[in-house]
Amino acid sequence: VLVIRGDTGGSLAQLATRPGEESLQIGIAGERSAGLRALVGMRGAFRRHLVPVGYNGGQGALRGLLAKQVTAVLVPLPAVLPHAAGHRLRILAVASAARHLVLQQVPTFTESGFSGVVAAGWHGLFSSPATPD
């Protein structure tokens, strides 16, 4: 999801074309995350230079956002869900093909006019073949 501070006004379209700002620093949760894939898609749709700023996980990226180190962050949904009801953060869009069941009010990038911004993360669990079922 793309998140901005709650005190930051505007829409996703305004963020993409905000006048007077050359580059837009976007925090991402990890160097090889789904957020980085979303950022690559955003580069084709935004009319600004996007600079990725890597953080150690979603919570680290959110702390960087609140400390005003970056303008927005791309973080996994579980990282931002505990804060979604508050006013300190605002979710602008989800980087999936469809709206998320938990955040029906938040549009996808495509619905907001930015097609090609779709990214999904996954997790794997590995264990020894001797691990009991």
Side-chain angles (χ1 to χ4, degrees):
V1 295
L2 180 68
V3 182
I4 60 174
R5 288 185 314 277
D7 61 356
T8 304
S11 65
L12 181 58
Q14 290 168 326
L15 182 68
T17 60
R18 187 176 293 169
E21 294 184 29
E22 292 183 15
S23 63
L24 179 64
Q25 292 189 324
I26 305 282
I28 57 172
E31 294 178 2
R32 297 182 182 175
S33 64
L36 183 58
R37 288 190 297 280
L39 185 100
V40 169
M42 288 169 61
R43 282 187 172 153
F46 277 37
R47 286 175 280 199
R48 303 174 63 174
H49 178 66
L50 302 177
V51 179
V53 178
Y55 287 92
N56 187 8
Q59 294 301 319
L62 290 173
R63 282 191 297 277
L65 176 64
L66 291 172
K68 300 183 180 182
Q69 296 171 347
V70 293
T71 304
V73 294
L74 285 160
V75 294
L77 183 59
V80 76
L81 273 181
H83 312 286
H87 300 286
R88 294 181 70 196
L89 301 173
R90 189 160 57 102
I91 303 171
L92 288 184
V94 295
S96 60
R99 290 186 183 207
H100 194 277
L101 294 174
V102 176
L103 299 172
Q104 286 294 314
Q105 74 281 10
V106 178
T108 66
F109 275 92
T110 301
E111 290 174 327
S112 298
F114 298 92
S115 60
V117 183
V118 177
W122 61 274
H123 298 276
L125 178 63
F126 300 91
S127 67
S128 163
T131 303
D133 289 343

